């Protein structure tokens, strides 16, 4: 497979490189904004402070800092488990959003000056076991919501990736407790074949007397599985909206390399290569011709060989 094959298979991957975005996900946030006017919505006068949870490699942070524009460092706070290459105007925190210490670090930053927008594009390492993946995804979303309840200003907006699985109505119900409007949106750049969608929650309006509490996760681990199905009057059905111009590219299709018809295709390298990818060790071994080769004691330094032969 040549390096152009992904450009053919995934038009948004290609367009992201050509437009200087670090990841194709940038188009998801842009298309959500086209539909919901996230930066100037009905509930907000204008976004000046935002949090990007699960931000690496950083294309959503790029969009946020461009949209907020020229506000200086600290107006966008980006958080991820993985290290992220620096971005001008974006303050970065490396940490796990489900951990109390990370949540506290983010909240500290916003004390006295709350955020207008919290976004979370978090995804767990997918196992292929749907129940496990959906559960992990829900945990990330709820960790993000918990952080949002500490940092959002009234009227603020929360956008989070959601897997439309079996228990999704419980999540919608929890979101509806805190926001006057909750919708489920699917941007054109998100593949139809993926259960991914985005919960778009506008008008932050917590119940009277609600006190954010980091020590109490919003999902109760001991909940009754029947309650989880939420039937009858407790069942919340939220509107489902597809967004992004219908004439824009279809993320499930392959496109020829001459997109414009006739204009010559030129390969564009990724905007920001991963800074410490998990496959780095394999690449180093491959360069040395040692990948997938048995390591024999005679190939090892003397001290290791001694250990192996013991
Ligand atoms: N929105 C990003 C962008 O535009 O570049 C892409 C995000 S990527 C789809 C999902 C990210 O979630 C990964 O970088 C992963 O490290 C992060 N993540 C997963 N679990 C996390 C956790 N518990 N805390 C922080 N980040 C997490």
């Amino acid at each position: 497979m040549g390096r152009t094959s992904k450009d053919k298979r995934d038009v948004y991957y290609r367009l992201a490189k050509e437009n200087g975005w670090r990841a194709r996900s940038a188009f998801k946030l842009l298309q959500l904004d086209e539909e919901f006017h996230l930066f100037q919505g009905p509930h907000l006068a204008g976004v000046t402070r935002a949090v990007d949870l699960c931000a690496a490699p950083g294309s959503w942070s790029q969009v946020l800092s461009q949209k907020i524009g020229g506000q200086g460092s600290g107006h966008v706070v980006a958080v991820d488990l993985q290290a992220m290459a620096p971005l001008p105007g974006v303050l970065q925190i490396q940490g796990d959003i489900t951990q109390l210490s990370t949540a506290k670090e983010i909240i500290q930053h916003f004390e006295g000056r709350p955020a207008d927008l919290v976004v979370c594009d978090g995804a767990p390492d997918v196992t292929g076991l749907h129940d496990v993946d959906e559960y992990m995804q829900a945990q990330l979303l709820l960790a993000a919501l918990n952080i949002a309840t500490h940092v959002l200003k009234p009227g603020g907006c929360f956008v989070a990736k959601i897997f439309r699985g079996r228990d999704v109505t419980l999540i919608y119900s929890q979101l509806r407790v805190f926001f006057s409007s909750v919708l489920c949106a699917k941007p054109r750049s998100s593949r139809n074949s993926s259960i991914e969608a985005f919960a778009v929650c506008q008008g932050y309006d917590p119940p009277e007397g609600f006190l954010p509490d980091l020590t109490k996760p919003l999902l109760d681990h001991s909940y009754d599985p029947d309650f989880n199905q939420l039937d009858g009057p407790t069942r919340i059905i939220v509107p489902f909206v597809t967004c992004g111009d219908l004439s824009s590219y279809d993320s499930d299709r392959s496109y020829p390399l001459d997109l414009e018809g006739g204009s010559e295709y030129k390969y564009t390298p990724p905007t920001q290569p991963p800074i410490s990818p998990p496959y780095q060790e394999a690449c180093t071994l491959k360069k040395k011709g040692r990948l997938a080769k048995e390591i024999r004691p005679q190939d090892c330094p003397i001290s290791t060989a001694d250990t192996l032969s013991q």
Side-chain angles (χ1 to χ4, degrees), residues 12 31 34-35 187-189 242-250:
Y12 284 102
Q31 290 172 349
E34 268 171 40
E35 183 72 33
R188 287 274 286 170
S189 49
T242 54
C243 52
D245 190 339
L246 281 182
S247 60
S248 59
Y249 294 108
D250 176 347

Side-chain angles (χ1 to χ4, degrees), residues 4 42 74 77 145 155 234 257:
T4 57
V77 174
L145 174 60
T234 50
L257 287 172

Side-chain angles (χ1 to χ4, degrees), residues 266-287:
K266 197 165 159 284
Y267 174 78
T268 312
T271 304
Q272 173 63 56
I275 50 177
S276 56
Y279 49 83
Q280 201 158 33
E281 194 185 340
C283 292
T284 315
L285 288 172
K286 190 166 182 215
K287 270 192 198 141

Side-chain angles (χ1 to χ4, degrees), residues 27 32 43 48 73 109 161 166 211 215 298:
F27 293 106
L32 289 168
H43 305 277
T48 56
S73 182
H109 186 79
K161 189 191 309 255
R166 216 163 39 105
L211 286 177
T215 59
Q298 61 267 38

Side-chain angles (χ1 to χ4, degrees), residues 6 82 127 139 185 227 240:
K6 192 159 180 198
Q82 296 176 42
T127 63
Q139 291 301 322
F227 169 72
F240 182 83

Side-chain angles (χ1 to χ4, degrees), residues 29-52:
L29 187 56
L30 290 167
Q31 290 172 349
L32 289 168
D33 179 43
E34 268 171 40
E35 183 72 33
F36 299 103
H37 312 291
L38 300 174
F39 296 91
Q40 206 85 49
H43 305 277
L44 288 172
V47 171
T48 56
R49 308 174 67 80
V51 185
D52 184 5

